[in-house]
Amino acid sequence: MKAPAGQQPADSAGRRAIWLSIAALAMTFMLPLAGLVMALFALMAGIRALPMLRAEGRPTGVAVGGITVSSIALALSAMATGMQLYLMEEYSAYQECMKGAGTVSAQGECFAQFREAAQRKLPADVLEMLGAMQP
């Protein structure tokens, strides 16, 4: 691997780890499964950058930051993906309802049905946490 002029390979590896981890965190909120994959790549990049930085006597803060952010993104995306898989039937019914909803009130009814179905399936403590997160 050839680094750009004036940069060492270890420096670019550390930067790559932090940028991949930031991208993984962003992807987690848009597409959790894609965020999960991106977080794994970011975690591997950060772990690979650590020995390179240490061998050259460079600070490892960027790589450690990348590992930390990618670990957070990995945990969040794993939880979101798990929740999507667990509520797949309810979400599919919600999407079908939304296809036929021509008015705002009909869309609200679809959401109310989805919420009731999710409440029947989820434990009470998870529902309290999700309710606290809603605007």
Side-chain angles (χ1 to χ4, degrees):
M1 170 167 84
K2 188 169 182 169
Q7 272 189 355
Q8 300 296 324
D11 290 337
S12 61
R15 284 191 192 94
R16 183 180 317 114
I18 194 74
W19 282 112
L20 280 173
S21 65
I22 292 169
L25 192 58
M27 288 296 291
T28 295
F29 294 109
M30 292 183 283
L31 298 167
L33 189 57
L36 183 72
V37 173
M38 182 76 82
L40 288 172
F41 283 126
L43 189 60
M44 288 188 304
I47 290 170
R48 287 182 61 191
L50 274 177
M52 292 172 68
L53 288 167
R54 285 187 182 135
E56 291 187 10
R58 303 261 188 205
T60 59
V62 175
V64 171
I67 291 170
T68 303
V69 173
S70 63
S71 297
I72 292 168
L74 185 65
L76 288 174
S77 60
M79 288 188 297
T81 301
M83 185 70 77
Q84 283 181 341
L85 292 174
Y86 185 67
L87 294 175
M88 186 179 292
E89 282 183 31
E90 290 76 10
Y91 188 66
S92 294
Y94 171 71
Q95 286 179 327
E96 286 298 317
C97 181
M98 288 297 283
K99 284 180 185 176
T103 63
V104 174
S105 62
Q107 291 174 353
E109 182 62 31
C110 290
F111 181 73
Q113 290 173 1
F114 171 73
R115 187 176 184 143
E116 288 172 16
Q119 285 176 344
R120 286 191 297 270
K121 196 166 186 178
L122 291 173
D125 56 343
V126 173
L127 291 172
E128 288 176 18
M129 183 178 67
L130 291 175
M133 295 170 71
Q134 265 192 341

